[in-house]
Amino acid sequence: MDHPEIREDEKSVWEKPGTIRVIWLLLIIGCVLFASAGFLLAAQGQLVYKPHFEDKTGIAAFFGNMADNFPAFYALVGFVSFSFIVLVGQHLRKILMRPEDYYDSPEAEGDDKEIEA
């Protein structure tokens, strides 16, 4: 079912395409600035990492050393995890979604009349 179009004079400031573009631009600039600040501080040696995985062996040591030595590791893991959740949610919606009139179906109305009597 298509949603009705909202007239331009009825749109709030948050629904206007120009505002949405500005918000996206600010978010992207902020992410780039914070990520580059992490790399810059790491390059200057001002970030102090506590080695959490120094006594581990095997795969825990491999990923642990990567996490300890890569400044944006946790940001990257968070982004990938969030993207995975969103993509899985899109497909899960197809499985769990019910029709708009699921609770108003004729079968449900007949059941209600029997209960009332």
Side-chain angles (χ1 to χ4, degrees):
M1 175 177 175
D2 292 332
H3 294 287
E5 284 295 320
I6 299 173
R7 294 190 328 242
E8 284 298 320
D9 59 332
E10 292 180 338
K11 287 185 179 180
S12 73
V13 69
W14 303 108
E15 296 173 322
K16 295 186 179 180
T19 306
I20 294 170
R21 273 190 231 109
V22 168
I23 291 171
W24 272 108
L25 185 64
L26 289 174
L27 284 171
I28 291 170
I29 289 172
C31 289
V32 168
L33 285 176
F34 281 114
S36 60
F39 281 111
L40 183 65
L41 290 173
Q44 292 177 352
Q46 294 181 6
L47 285 180
V48 178
Y49 291 107
K50 294 198 294 186
H52 298 287
F53 298 96
E54 62 189 355
D55 58 340
K56 303 289 183 194
T57 58
I59 195 163
F62 174 74
F63 286 110
N65 290 332
M66 185 187 312
D68 287 338
N69 296 324
F70 186 61
F73 178 77
Y74 294 109
L76 183 64
V77 167
F79 178 76
V80 169
S81 301
F82 183 74
S83 300
F84 176 75
I85 289 170
V86 169
L87 293 174
V88 168
Q90 288 176 345
H91 296 290
L92 190 60
R93 179 178 180 267
K94 295 174 187 174
I95 297 170
L96 299 176
M97 190 171 159
R98 299 286 182 247
E100 187 174 330
D101 61 346
Y102 179 72
Y103 292 106
D104 296 331
S105 64
E107 296 87 25
E109 288 177 11
D111 293 340
D112 289 341
K113 291 178 185 174
E114 291 174 11
I115 293 173
E116 291 176 7

